[in-house]
Amino acid sequence: MQRKLLLGVEAIGQAAVDAGISGVYAYPGTPSTEITEYIQSNPLTIERNIHREWSANEKTALEAALGMSYAGKRAMASMKHVGLNVAADVFMNMAITGINGGLVVTVADDPSQHSSQNEQDSRYYGKFAMIPIFEPSNQQEAYDMTYEAFEFSEKTGLPVMVRIPTRLAHSRSGVVQKPVLDENKLILPQNPMQFMLLPAYGRKYYQNLLDKQEWIEELSEESAYNRYYEGTDNSLGIVCCGITYNYLMENFPEGNCPYPVVKISQYPVPKKLLQKLEDECDKLLVAEDGYPIVEELLTDFFEKGTKVSGRLDGTLPRRGELNPVHLAKAICKEHDVPFQIPETVAGRPPSLCAGCGHQDTYIALNEVIANLGDGRVFSDIGCYTLGALPPYNTINTCVDMGASITMAKGAADAGLSPVFSVIGDSTFTHSGITGLLDCVNEKTNINIIIVDNEAVAMTGGQDSSAKGRIEKICEGVGVEPEHIRIFVPLRRNHDEIVKMIEEEMEYDGVSVLIGRRECVQITSKTRKLRKVTKQA
Ligand SMILES: Cc1ncc(C[n+]2csc(CCOP(=O)(O)OP(=O)(O)O)c2C)c(N)n1
Ligand code: SF4
């Protein structure tokens, strides 16, 4: 079989294609973005014309994936961890409806918050929804487990979550491929009411989900990905979840870890394997790259039982991603080669690119608000969030996608005036439109600046879902056309932009100012591409 050198995210994309998916549905978000990008550029995907367009947000993505599963075909939805908050409604409910075609939800978590607002652990969501979770420990498992997840989903009738952290997503290893499968045929669910969650049906289906729990626990017990490794020194037993098994074994290149180890890559947790470890060892260490979920499960509430250590008692750091050195320290082993960050990657604070239009918007806005007092610019998530840093120091908030409009509205409701919201074009279409509708309905006194660079720049320049149509959307939502203003964020337009913002600030109602200029990175990419095409 073919062997490829793949990133963890690419291994997942390749596995989904090889397993015969008919569609991937996703909204970009680091570190999950390349799963979809890999599928988009895969030759077989193109040959089969598999669905691969970006969705407007994670909720619409997961719902569409569920619809494809309803029609009997295999589908994958992919997102970053905070994206699952957006998709949580459908995620919880599809565990109850179950699936028809195999459905896999890939969620990439970001412990240490390399590029996220928080480091939440998606395994909680999987447990909350009571569905199987696959947590690979390396790239080959990322491939194998994703490939098998579709069949597992069809066998159990449940969606399967594949959870990976940033390190696994963005590091490479050789991956051996499995045979390419055909796509499923279009077949509607046998029970035409399977996806009907009126309470009379929902209660019954929830009971079905509860009834399946024992079975999926047994499947975890039998899983080839959950293993008990014998040791020679039973003074300590180690539980390693997902990638932490890799981190532990990097300390034992000969594979000679003296302590018994239970490796967990499939949930619900394999109770019997854990019981055996507890029976045979004096104390336990639990390593997991995320929250101390398994550690909490094993920690005896009344403190009568086995001593369990990990993130909760400080043996491992309470927050942030783990690494082999943490594991070495936890088992009192010297790590022979201390990890060092190469100088070329050390200390590069983020900043807006030279020539970025967001700068011109912030310079103009700063002039307008200079004498108004601080704390009135609500913002959001994207490249423009860098407006929180010097030399701009313009914006005061960044919480979750879309919150700039709704938080500004709440502050306006509280009496703060004037208030500003600065939001990107993709963030606006992701989850700003409904907030705008609230403002229109209540005639909120708010100035919304949509910094429209016609791209989802922060995640690599994917197409924005309403390119060139933002003003039409605002008008459709009910903003008065004379208070929808468009400007071009360029230094030479500074005075005009300042005047426009000041005029709208005087208006007691909803104003939308759209600053439209293409992201310069996209402009330069397009230019280079044109040059290459011309030369060819
Ligand atoms: C719920 C959620 N999904 C995805 C992301 C990842 N993300 C961060 S910024 C961003 C793009 C923002 O694009 P846009 O609003 O157009 O601003 P730009 O970066 O282009 O300035 C995305 C997708 C996130 N932080 N939260
Ligand atoms: S990538 Fe584009 S939007 Fe982001 S800072 Fe650079 S120029 Fe600005």
Side-chain angles (χ1 to χ4, degrees):
M1 266 294 140
Q2 204 182 350
R3 193 183 180 91
K4 282 184 172 167
L5 186 64
L6 296 177
L7 293 173
V9 273
E10 293 172 341
I12 289 173
Q14 184 67 56
V17 173
D18 294 347
I21 56 160
S22 298
V24 62
Y25 293 89
Y27 180 73
T30 312
S32 71
T33 312
E34 299 90 344
I35 296 174
T36 305
E37 288 181 335
Y38 185 83
I39 296 175
Q40 284 171 338
S41 61
N42 186 280
L44 183 61
T45 320
I46 296 163
E47 187 188 314
R48 288 184 171 180
N49 198 17
I50 288 167
H51 178 277
R52 54 191 183 278
E53 303 299 320
W54 291 107
S55 304
N57 67 34
E58 294 84 354
K59 180 175 183 287
T60 63
L62 191 49
E63 288 161 350
L66 184 64
M68 182 164 272
S69 161
Y70 172 97
K73 302 219 173 187
R74 290 184 169 182
M76 182 158 82
S78 160
M79 61 200 69
K80 70 182 285 165
H81 59 317
V82 284
L84 191 52
N85 297 334
V86 177
D89 199 1
V90 55
F91 181 77
M92 292 303 294
N93 288 320
M94 73 190 196
I96 296 169
T97 62
I99 56 88
N100 188 23
L103 179 56
V104 173
V105 187
T106 310
V107 189
D109 287 358
D110 189 19
S112 280
Q113 294 180 240
H114 294 286
S115 51
S116 308
Q117 312 98 287
N118 73 27
E119 60 171 46
Q120 69 189 50
D121 188 325
S122 300
R123 292 176 302 164
Y124 269 117
Y125 267 117
K127 188 166 156 44
F128 191 21
M130 291 186 268
I131 62 168
I133 308 165
F134 288 3
E135 190 189 13
S137 67
N138 57 37
Q139 284 75 5
Q140 184 66 57
E141 277 191 1
Y143 177 88
D144 293 342
M145 296 189 85
T146 307
Y147 184 89
E148 290 166 29
F150 291 93
E151 201 186 323
F152 194 88
S153 168
E154 285 164 3
K155 173 169 146 183
T156 56
L158 294 171
V160 174
M161 172 193 275
V162 173
R163 183 247 184 189
I164 51 161
T166 306
R167 288 290 151 187
L168 183 54
H170 287 169
S171 55
R172 265 176 215 286
S173 176
V175 171
V176 181
Q177 277 180 251
K178 290 177 186 285
V180 175
L181 304 179
D182 290 336
E183 290 178 63
N184 283 1
K185 300 232 163 6
L186 195 146
I187 301 173
L188 295 187
Q190 274 182 346
N191 167 10
M193 289 294 141
Q194 183 191 333
F195 291 82
M196 173 56 69
L197 288 186
L198 275 169
Y201 293 105
R203 284 185 206 112
K204 205 170 115 206
Y205 300 157
Y206 178 49
Q207 187 59 51
N208 291 346
L209 177 63
L210 294 174
D211 293 343
K212 280 183 185 172
Q213 295 305 301
E214 209 174 309
W215 180 36
I216 60 171
E217 267 179 43
E218 274 166 28
L219 293 173
S220 275
E221 217 70 67
E222 295 158 9
S223 166
Y225 301 105
N226 290 338
R227 287 192 61 180
Y228 191 104
Y229 295 94
E230 300 288 349
T232 50
D233 178 353
N234 286 13
S235 62
L236 181 70
I238 306 176
V239 180
C240 283
C241 301
I243 195 171
T244 65
Y245 179 69
N246 224 336
Y247 293 159
L248 175 72
M249 295 315 288
E250 275 196 39
N251 289 289
F252 301 100
E254 312 297 325
N256 56 344
C257 175
Y259 307 110
V261 177
V262 167
K263 166 185 172 288
I264 301 180
S265 282
Q266 185 173 323
Y267 305 76
V269 289
K271 278 190 194 142
K272 287 183 199 145
L273 293 185
L274 291 169
Q275 186 62 61
K276 179 169 147 70
L277 194 74
E278 202 260 1
D279 288 346
E280 291 180 2
C281 300
D282 301 340
K283 54 187 180 176
L284 300 181
L285 168 70
V286 185
E288 37 201 335
D289 214 14
Y291 288 5
I293 299 180
V294 176
E295 187 182 346
E296 262 178 6
L297 276 177
L298 300 183
T299 303
D300 185 349
F301 184 76
F302 294 108
E303 294 185 357
K304 289 177 183 167
T306 318
K307 168 134 181 37
V308 179
S309 60
R311 285 189 186 263
L312 289 173
D313 75 339
T315 304
L316 292 167
R318 180 63 182 82
R319 62 175 185 83
E321 61 185 351
L322 297 180
N323 63 39
V325 178
H326 292 131
L327 268 291
K329 280 189 186 150
I331 57 172
C332 302
K333 185 179 188 298
E334 285 290 310
H335 197 286
D336 303 337
V337 194
F339 289 92
Q340 270 167 1
I341 301 172
E343 262 176 40
T344 43
V345 294
R348 284 184 298 164
S351 62
L352 293 169
C353 307
C356 173
H358 296 338
Q359 297 174 337
D360 303 301
T361 302
Y362 282 133
I363 292 167
L365 184 56
N366 276 351
E367 189 171 318
V368 175
I369 62 174
N371 300 318
L372 297 175
D374 291 338
R376 54 187 71 247
V377 185
F378 297 81
S379 192
D380 233 299
I381 301 159
C383 285
Y384 54 95
T385 314
L386 296 171
L389 305 177
Y392 313 101
N393 304 311
T394 316
I395 62 170
N396 304 104
T397 68
C398 162
V399 179
D400 66 283
M401 288 189 85
S404 60
I405 296 180
T406 30
M407 282 183 71
K409 178 185 184 298
D413 293 344
L416 188 67
S417 177
V419 292
F420 298 87
S421 153
V422 178
I423 186 167
D425 50 324
S426 182
T427 308
F428 176 70
T429 50
H430 177 284
S431 38
I433 300 172
T434 43
L436 176 62
L437 182 59
D438 281 349
C439 295
V440 168
N441 287 343
E442 295 183 40
K443 208 172 183 293
T444 304
N445 186 11
I446 187 172
N447 305 286
I448 299 168
I449 303 177
I450 303 178
V451 283
D452 181 6
N453 55 11
E454 304 187 310
V456 196
M458 193 169 210
T459 48
Q462 296 80 14
D463 287 341
S464 187
S465 60
K467 195 168 167 175
R469 287 179 290 139
I470 300 280
E471 55 273 42
K472 285 216 176 85
I473 291 174
C474 295
E475 210 180 318
V477 168
V479 183
E480 291 164 28
E482 61 273 30
H483 293 289
I484 301 173
R485 313 277 298 267
I486 298 175
F487 64 89
V488 180
L490 277 170
R491 211 57 57 94
R492 66 167 180 266
N493 297 337
H494 177 80
D495 293 346
E496 182 200 323
I497 302 167
V498 169
K499 187 163 166 276
M500 205 183 269
I501 301 175
E502 282 174 344
E503 281 168 6
E504 290 307 322
M505 212 172 69
E506 292 305 311
Y507 171 61
D508 183 7
V510 181
S511 299
V512 175
L513 298 107
I514 302 168
R516 178 171 295 141
R517 175 152 74 83
E518 191 181 58
C519 160
V520 295
Q521 295 297 341
I522 309 280
T523 314
S524 88
K525 246 189 238 166
T526 321
R527 242 184 242 144
K528 271 186 208 147
L529 205 72
R530 251 190 241 133
K531 215 169 159 187
V532 173
T533 329
K534 230 177 175 178
Q535 279 165 357

